[in-house]
Amino acid sequence: MKAARGLAFTPVPLAAAARGAVALALPLLAGVWTGAVIPAVIAGIGALWGVSQDGSDPYRMRVRRLACMGLAAALGLLAGELALRSTRAGAVTVCLVVAALLAGSVSLRGRVASVSGMHLLLGVTIGSGIPVPGPWWQPPLALLAGVGLVVVLSATPWLWRRYHIERAAVRAVYRAASEALSAAGRPGAEAARRRLTAALDHAHQVMGRHLDRQVGRRVRPQSRLSTLLDAFHLAVRLGEVTSALVWEGRPLPRSVTEVPLMMAARLLPGTGVAPAAAGRGTAAAHLVAPHTGADSPGLGALTALYARIGRAPDGEPAPRLPDQPWQGRAAHLRYAVLLAACVLVAQLCAELLHGPRGYWLPMTVAFVYKPDFGPVLRRALHRCAGTVVGVAAIGAVVLLTTDTYALIGVVAAFGALMAVGVRHHYGLATTALTAIVFVMVDLLGDHRALYAARILDTALAAVIVLAAHFALWPSSAAGRAAAQTETALAAAHRYRDLAPEAAPAQRHALRRTAYHRLAEARRAAAHAHGEPSRPGRTLPDWEAAITAGERLCDAVSARNLAVAGAPSMRPVPGCGGSDAVGE
């Protein structure tokens, strides 16, 4: 689930909310109508987890993530169920600890691995905590059916919106470039350039598979994909030009700042990009030329870039963004051991407090202890707050009605809320998840009043996680920020040193890698500052070093364009013998 973001600044995902409502209500309605309530609830749990991972990325990436998550959850559910049915003392506890070790060992290796590892552990907690009658193979298949429903609902728009997500991502790069040019020479210029980097990173991610196809020469010329790839390649070059213009530090007229929007309107027609200058049919060269001087290679490069539209592609391979694990092997091992220890303590506490069906404690640990998803403290606090609000909400609903169809309607409403929450705020998603789980448990026949118990369980699980994490691994976020910053500065230096002699494709790859690493380092630094540090310890000023690295890259971009278009240009600070960020 994503870190907190302001609801007021991003649109509400109505389509995802509708999918969440349908995916959670449909299995429960089918179970009530057919009498197979228990398999329907298990399918609803699968749909619930599917909704939590139903993103807005390209359809193939969604399907891959949901499929891996579903298979891991079904495997965990089967393992937990078999441990529970064995009736052997300690079988459930051993199964949970082993699952936590497996989940922790893979969870820091990337987004799909992280999601799969977490849901493997969640599957074990549900399978070992909720006894389900019937054949052993039925619950895993029901869970997969619920995940499959989300896959169908999420991926069906591919039939008529095949490249819609990719087009939107590439279009966002041109819009961000226009905003960065508008901010040039003003206080917000560097922040606008960072937003351009983020837009380029996102476009790179969603275009990754298509870039591989292009390298394999399987893209038909003049096809929609070919046009989209051309637009992306020009966007990569536009990033270099925009960085150079931002570094020059002079305010630009509107006729110049609208050129990226004019490019988008020509490259991606029908995308809604309609700059004022494009409406007058003015050529970019006529807009930029009056402002182009011998000391402004960026403006000349912008004119030349616009002139490339419509030309045959140059055949250069696309730059690729490097993959980087969350941390090294030692961090993976430490996290796996700490997660297993937290799950063990939570399970022992659950057995002492609740006996059977004490799954809430280890389940909460699995949700909370995800350092790769954001600061652990903030996640724990949002989990506790969301649980309290969710319990209060479902308690108020039960006071008004206990009608089965009314409760299913409430599940649909909270399913829509959860789809919004996973994109905007973890606490909001937790509120919805808590209410949904209470209704599902009630449909399974467990009518105990567990409102206060679940709040206390959530708080206890949060305390267990926070105590283990900050007592035994207090420097995890700071260590990652330091390592990411060092890697990012090395990439910036590599771009500075190799770019002058590099071919255009290699130069673009070096530049994109440097900016991508710097953006990752900035996020890691923000993560570290979001975690409490030991008293008297001051964290290094990573942001200052990262900012210096970004300015160095901007200067190198300006120098590259100066060398290409005006060899007699003045030297660029930070690109000679001295270093803008130090060695």
Side-chain angles (χ1 to χ4, degrees):
M1 297 183 187
K2 295 183 179 180
R5 292 185 294 178
L7 288 173
F9 299 101
T10 50
V12 176
L14 296 179
R19 292 197 299 267
V22 173
L24 286 166
L26 196 57
L28 301 183
L29 286 173
V32 172
W33 292 337
T34 61
V37 175
I38 293 178
V41 170
I42 300 299
I45 293 174
L48 176 67
W49 291 344
V51 169
S52 74
Q53 300 303 322
D54 178 23
S56 56
D57 42 357
Y59 299 109
R60 184 180 291 264
M61 295 173 66
R62 290 189 213 177
V63 171
R64 177 170 173 262
R65 183 176 62 252
L66 287 169
C68 291
M69 180 276 292
L71 290 173
L75 180 62
L77 182 68
L78 176 61
E81 181 189 9
L82 293 178
L84 182 64
R85 294 189 181 203
S86 70
T87 66
R88 295 180 180 176
V92 168
T93 301
V94 171
C95 186
L96 281 168
V97 171
V98 171
L101 286 171
L102 289 174
S105 64
V106 303
S107 283
L108 303 184
R109 299 179 183 276
R111 174 68 179 179
V112 173
S114 180
V115 167
S116 300
M118 180 177 72
H119 285 85
L120 172 71
L121 180 55
L122 290 174
V124 172
T125 63
I126 296 299
S128 61
I130 301 179
V132 178
W136 60 268
W137 48 264
Q138 192 177 66
L141 289 182
L143 186 81
L144 286 174
V147 177
L149 176 60
V150 177
V151 171
V152 171
L153 292 173
S154 182
T156 297
W158 175 86
L159 297 174
W160 62 87
R161 303 175 67 187
R162 185 169 184 181
Y163 298 120
H164 173 78
I165 296 169
E166 291 88 341
R167 285 167 65 86
V170 175
R171 184 173 69 247
V173 176
Y174 288 91
R175 185 178 294 110
S178 178
E179 293 172 355
L181 293 178
S182 299
R186 296 177 174 85
E190 289 188 355
R193 206 269 312 134
R194 291 181 197 127
R195 290 193 293 271
L196 171 59
T197 296
L200 270 167
D201 285 348
H202 178 63
H204 234 138
Q205 291 170 357
V206 302
M207 292 291 293
R209 183 179 67 90
H210 304 305
L211 296 175
D212 292 338
R213 287 183 59 188
Q214 187 182 38
V215 172
R217 298 180 180 178
R218 291 183 291 157
V219 179
R220 290 184 289 106
Q222 306 304 319
S223 64
R224 286 189 300 166
L225 179 56
S226 175
T227 302
L228 184 60
L229 287 166
D230 291 345
F232 172 76
H233 289 308
L234 278 179
V236 172
R237 289 161 173 78
L238 179 62
E240 180 181 46
V241 175
T242 303
S243 298
L245 287 168
V246 169
W247 178 84
E248 288 180 12
R250 68 184 71 193
L252 299 171
R254 185 179 179 185
S255 58
V256 173
T257 62
E258 284 190 343
V259 170
L261 301 182
M262 295 169 60
M263 296 173 65
R266 288 187 58 187
L267 290 163
L268 302 170
T271 57
V273 178
R280 298 192 300 267
T282 309
H286 295 158
L287 295 170
V288 177
H291 310 282
T292 304
D295 63 340
S296 182
L299 290 173
L302 185 62
T303 303
L305 192 64
Y306 186 89
R308 289 177 61 95
I309 298 176
R311 294 182 184 178
D314 53 18
E316 295 176 356
R320 299 302 308 273
L321 290 183
D323 294 326
Q324 181 167 330
W326 194 80
Q327 275 186 338
R329 293 182 179 179
H332 295 173
L333 178 60
R334 180 178 290 192
Y335 171 62
V337 171
L338 286 178
L339 178 62
C342 290
V343 168
L344 175 60
V345 173
Q347 176 63 13
L348 294 177
C349 291
E351 291 180 355
L352 290 174
L353 295 173
H354 305 297
R357 302 198 180 187
Y359 57 87
W360 197 274
L361 267 162
M363 182 182 72
T364 303
V365 168
F367 275 122
V368 170
Y369 201 10
K370 294 294 295 176
D372 55 322
F373 280 13
V376 176
L377 175 62
R378 185 176 65 194
R379 194 171 176 85
L381 294 177
H382 288 173
R383 187 81 193 179
C384 292
T387 300
V388 171
V389 176
V391 165
I394 197 62
V397 169
V398 171
L399 288 177
L400 296 175
T401 179
T402 57
D403 179 74
T404 299
Y405 288 102
L407 291 178
I408 292 175
V410 170
V411 167
F414 278 111
L417 182 64
M418 183 173 180
V420 175
V422 297
R423 289 162 173 79
H424 293 286
H425 199 286
Y426 180 61
L428 188 63
T430 298
T431 297
L433 183 143
T434 300
I436 291 169
V437 170
F438 266 91
V439 175
M440 288 183 173
V441 170
D442 186 75
L443 291 175
L444 286 175
D446 189 348
H447 304 298
R448 294 178 294 170
L450 296 173
Y451 300 117
R454 293 320 184 203
I455 293 175
L456 293 176
D457 286 350
T458 302
L460 179 57
V463 169
I464 291 170
V465 168
L466 294 176
H469 184 66
F470 292 112
L472 302 177
W473 200 15
S475 61
S476 62
R480 178 173 179 253
Q484 293 275 46
T485 302
E486 182 180 355
T487 301
L489 294 180
H493 294 157
R494 191 161 51 250
Y495 174 44
R496 177 201 61 190
D497 297 336
L498 300 181
E501 306 298 330
Q506 184 184 7
R507 188 180 79 238
H508 292 307
L510 289 168
R511 181 180 57 80
R512 289 292 300 118
T513 298
Y515 280 118
H516 176 65
R517 294 289 201 203
L518 288 164
E520 285 185 328
R522 189 173 291 279
R523 287 190 292 270
H527 182 166
H529 284 294
E531 298 279 29
S533 58
R534 288 181 175 176
R537 181 185 180 187
T538 302
L539 295 177
D541 190 2
W542 296 299
E543 288 83 355
I546 294 166
T547 299
E550 291 170 339
R551 291 173 179 170
L552 172 63
C553 291
D554 291 345
V556 174
S557 298
R559 181 195 63 181
N560 293 336
L561 296 182
V563 171
S568 60
M569 275 287 296
R570 57 185 171 85
V572 175
C575 297
S578 61
D579 195 321
V581 295
E583 296 286 359

